[in-house]
Amino acid sequence: MNLWLQENKWQDVEDYLKDNKTIIVPCGSVEQHALHLPLGTDAYISQKVAEDVAKKTNTLIAPPIWTGWAPHHMAYKGTITLRPETLTSVVEDTCASLIHHGFEKIIIINGHREANLAPIRIAMTRLRNKTAAFLAIADPFYINHEKGKELNEVEPGGIGHAEELETSQMYYLLPDLCDASKSSKNIPASHRLLKHDPLVEGDHFITASDVSTYKEKTKGTGMMGDSTKANASKGEKYHESLVDNIAEFIDYAGKEIKVKLRNNDIPL
Ligand SMILES: [Zn+2]
């Protein structure tokens, strides 16, 4: 059986469902990633993590959801953003289709850290309440927090966008699409209650970005944080830890979480 659902015949999926009810859904974003990383970074990361987890756990992967919610990145050319309602609908209908066929456990790998979470959580909560399916989001900031803290070498505020950790992961996974000579550092001064680095402990407000402020803050490069200390070996460690955590959870969910589906209608 192929790892990706779309590369199989329908009867292969029927056979798979006889003894495995779990599927992975990679969800990314196509958005500017400063001068050194490609627009597809978040989507590629979700797909590469999904592939490595799938190989380790013999789990099928649904076709990737390439685009996410990235309005502030429209400040730079090439970014594509969905409205959050659209992303919620795409995730909800994709998962509802899978649940209709009998998939009971869905692991969504979110490559667009943080930003995609609200729209995906709405879809997940609706599906859980309606169908009783088990859904979980693996977001690198939450599922790999400890490894991120261990590997992090940049100053507080250095983890933002196109920063040390995701840059390292891209240098490891897809070096040919990166240009390390253009990595940079941009950590704007901010009030102590407005720190957005997820590795910085402490109290902070949540605020919204807009295109013009974002362009100004990222100094016309799209960079937020510090990517100058990124390297492929750090990326390999970060990636492997992410894969191990998700694989461990899929094994646990497969064995321990019991689901009895109901109302698994076709999305109409
Ligand atoms: Zn990213």
Side-chain angles (χ1 to χ4, degrees):
M1 183 145 195
N2 295 307
L3 293 176
W4 291 94
L5 178 133
Q6 65 272 22
E7 294 175 3
N8 293 284
K9 321 287 185 297
W10 72 263
Q11 282 183 321
D12 301 323
V13 178
E14 190 172 69
D15 286 344
Y16 175 89
L17 278 163
K18 283 175 189 156
D19 50 23
N20 197 335
K21 312 278 192 212
T22 303
I23 190 160
I24 298 166
V25 177
C27 187
S29 180
V30 175
E31 64 184 44
Q32 72 83 15
H33 267 77
L35 305 177
H36 64 294
L37 298 181
L39 287 145
T41 292
D42 294 351
Y44 288 130
I45 285 179
S46 70
Q47 293 164 32
K48 291 282 185 188
V49 171
E51 276 182 352
D52 288 344
V53 171
K55 280 180 206 153
K56 245 188 155 140
T57 59
N58 292 317
T59 307
L60 196 59
I61 319 168
I65 298 172
W66 274 88
T67 41
W69 186 38
H72 49 298
H73 294 298
M74 292 298 281
Y76 297 93
K77 300 286 181 247
T79 299
I80 296 172
T81 187
L82 301 180
R83 283 168 287 158
E85 297 83 354
T86 308
L87 179 58
T88 298
S89 297
V90 170
V91 172
E92 193 174 348
D93 290 359
T94 301
C95 294
S97 299
L98 296 167
I99 293 165
H100 178 78
H101 295 309
F103 286 98
E104 296 176 348
K105 295 159 195 174
I106 299 178
I107 308 300
I108 300 167
I109 298 181
N110 176 36
H112 185 28
R113 300 147 173 219
E114 293 274 348
N116 275 349
L117 284 181
I120 298 176
R121 286 180 90 160
I122 293 169
M124 187 166 84
T125 304
R126 286 181 184 158
L127 290 159
R128 173 73 176 161
N129 280 277
K130 184 170 173 251
T131 69
F134 176 80
L135 296 103
I137 306 171
D139 181 298
F141 278 162
Y142 294 94
I143 199 70
N144 218 20
H145 182 77
E146 295 303 323
K147 186 53 80 176
K149 271 201 304 198
E150 184 191 315
L151 295 172
N152 172 232
E153 290 179 294
V154 297
E155 66 187 85
I159 304 299
H161 180 69
E163 35 64 21
E164 182 192 27
L165 298 175
E166 70 173 336
T167 298
S168 295
Q169 203 175 357
M170 283 298 282
Y171 288 173
Y172 168 59
L173 295 170
L174 291 160
D176 292 350
L177 299 183
C178 307
D179 183 353
S181 70
K182 292 193 172 151
S183 67
S184 60
K185 177 180 172 180
N186 171 39
I187 306 177
S190 65
H191 190 276
R192 70 171 184 91
L193 293 171
L194 287 172
K195 302 283 183 200
H196 293 298
D197 181 336
L199 299 182
V200 174
E201 308 281 336
D203 305 328
H204 64 274
F205 283 86
I206 294 170
T207 54
S209 272
D210 66 283
V211 168
S212 58
T213 315
Y214 196 74
K215 191 154 197 172
E216 200 181 300
K217 277 196 168 169
T218 53
K219 303 199 167 78
T221 67
M223 182 68 209
M224 186 69 87
D226 186 353
S227 58
T228 60
K229 291 194 167 68
N231 61 60
S233 84
K234 207 183 277 186
E236 180 177 9
K237 291 186 189 105
Y238 190 72
H239 179 80
E240 292 307 327
S241 160
L242 194 49
V243 169
D244 287 347
N245 278 344
I246 301 171
E248 180 186 332
F249 187 73
I250 286 180
D251 282 340
Y252 158 78
K255 289 185 196 120
E256 304 294 335
I257 293 175
K258 306 290 174 221
V259 171
K260 198 170 172 350
L261 292 180
R262 57 171 190 260
N263 304 326
N264 54 344
D265 304 337
I266 297 167
L268 290 170

